[in-house]
């Protein structure tokens, strides 16, 4: 089941110009990801940010692991390249952090929503609980110095552009026709929507209504 879901997500993302994905050793559970920032208003515009993404055999019940391979100086990125971001945290509410279930991973999420959240995080850092305290302080108190370090990271990231890969631009992205299917078509094509999203009345099945409202049913937190 996980293989079929991931293959459909991989094929859908292959049509996008803001991300470049290659399978590591043809393993559908192990992706090499290049995130491309096409927003000209972003400090990270023009960057190619290489990362690894690993999935468990029980995906989508567990979130993927994500790590930048060239760590960025950012309040929410650890020195090893891992992120502090709610969407990658295990399902369910966390009283210690105050995160709601609706903010964390759920099996209704997709890889695309994770990657978009990461791109958004780059320019919208959460400085109240930073993974890199120094970066959080610099962002708040010395923005020009912070911006200079970001631009340095962007230039360094260009070294990871694969040979022969043509970097898209904001203009080329705007002129590119969209071929994106809606969510209903995506899950219909996956042939597993009934298995994952409540196709039977078994106690072990996932209740999407509870996920959408942030309910903390024990059945939703599956290993």
């Amino acid at each position: 089941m996980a293989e079929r879901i991931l293959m459909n997500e991989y094929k859908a993302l292959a049509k996008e110009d803001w991300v470049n994905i290659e399978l590591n050793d043809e393993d559908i559970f192990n992706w090499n990801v290049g995130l491309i920032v096409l927003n000209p208003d972003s400090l990270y515009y023009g960057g190619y940010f290489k990362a690894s993404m690993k999935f468990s055999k029980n995906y989508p019940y567990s979130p993927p692991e994500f790590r930048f391979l060239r760590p960025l100086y950012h309040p929410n990125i650890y020195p090893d390249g891992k992120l502090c971001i709610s969407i990658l945290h295990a399902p369910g509410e966390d009283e210690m952090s105050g995160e709601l279930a609706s903010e964390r991973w759920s099996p209704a999420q997709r890889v695309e929503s994770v990657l978009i959240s990461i791109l958004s995080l780059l320019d919208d850092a959460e400085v109240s609980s930073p993974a890199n305290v120094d970066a959080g302080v610099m962002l708040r108190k010395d923005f020009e110095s912070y911006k200079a370090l970001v631009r340095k990271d962007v230039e360094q990231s260009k070294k990871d552009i694969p040979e022969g890969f043509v970097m898209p631009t904001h203009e080329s992205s705007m002129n590119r026709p969209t071929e994106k299917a809606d969510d209903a078509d995506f899950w219909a094509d996956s042939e597993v929507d009934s298995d994952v999203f409540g196709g039977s009345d078994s106690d072990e099945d996932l209740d999407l209504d509870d996920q959408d409202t942030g309910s903390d049913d024990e059945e939703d937190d599956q290993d």
Side-chain angles (χ1 to χ4, degrees):
M1 181 176 67
E3 290 94 333
R4 295 201 299 269
I5 294 175
L6 284 170
M7 183 56 70
N8 275 280
E9 296 205 48
Y10 170 75
K11 290 178 179 178
L13 285 169
K15 301 175 182 179
E16 302 292 341
D17 54 6
W18 54 270
V19 62
N20 180 41
I21 297 176
E22 298 175 346
L23 301 184
N24 191 351
D25 296 326
E26 301 302 315
D27 180 2
I28 193 62
F29 293 98
N30 194 354
W31 294 14
N32 291 322
V33 178
L35 283 177
I36 303 164
V37 180
L38 297 175
N39 177 10
D41 296 325
S42 170
L43 291 179
Y44 294 85
Y45 177 59
Y48 183 96
F49 301 104
K50 191 175 181 180
S52 67
M53 207 165 189
K54 297 181 179 180
F55 303 86
S56 65
K57 298 292 183 179
N58 72 335
Y59 179 84
Y61 293 106
S62 296
E65 296 179 8
F66 183 97
R67 183 173 71 88
F68 283 112
L69 299 183
R70 190 185 293 273
L72 306 177
Y73 191 76
H74 186 281
N76 305 118
I77 301 177
Y78 292 101
D80 64 356
K82 291 184 178 180
L83 279 71
C84 181
I85 185 172
S86 298
I87 198 172
L88 291 178
H89 295 164
E93 293 185 4
D94 185 347
E95 294 183 1
M96 293 295 293
S97 67
E99 290 178 342
L100 301 175
S102 58
E103 299 172 322
R104 295 160 68 95
W105 176 261
S106 84
Q109 300 282 10
R110 286 164 51 184
V111 178
E112 181 181 37
S113 59
V114 171
L115 297 180
I116 290 175
S117 294
I118 292 171
L119 285 173
S120 177
L121 181 71
L122 290 180
D123 282 306
D124 190 18
E126 175 53 66
V127 296
S128 62
S129 56
N132 184 329
V133 175
D134 291 339
V137 171
M138 183 179 289
L139 174 58
R140 287 186 287 109
K141 296 187 175 181
D142 190 359
F143 181 69
E144 289 304 315
S145 295
Y146 179 82
K147 184 165 64 173
L149 289 177
V150 168
R151 295 313 303 171
K152 182 178 179 181
D153 283 343
V154 170
E155 292 307 310
Q156 286 290 106
S157 78
K158 294 177 181 179
K159 296 179 180 179
D160 294 324
I161 299 173
E163 185 176 354
F165 180 78
V166 179
M167 282 284 285
T169 63
H170 172 67
E171 290 76 14
S172 66
S173 176
M174 292 295 291
N175 294 329
R176 180 174 176 270
T178 58
E179 301 177 357
K180 191 180 228 179
D182 61 26
D183 284 353
D185 291 339
F186 175 86
W187 289 113
D189 290 343
S190 74
E191 299 179 353
V192 295
D193 49 322
S194 60
D195 294 333
V196 180
F197 298 117
S200 73
D201 293 328
S202 168
D203 288 341
E204 296 180 358
D205 286 336
L206 178 67
D207 188 337
L208 261 189
D209 290 336
D210 288 344
Q211 284 291 343
D212 289 342
T213 58
S215 174
D216 195 19
D217 275 355
E218 292 179 0
E219 289 84 0
D220 293 346
D221 192 8
Q222 301 189 29
D223 292 330

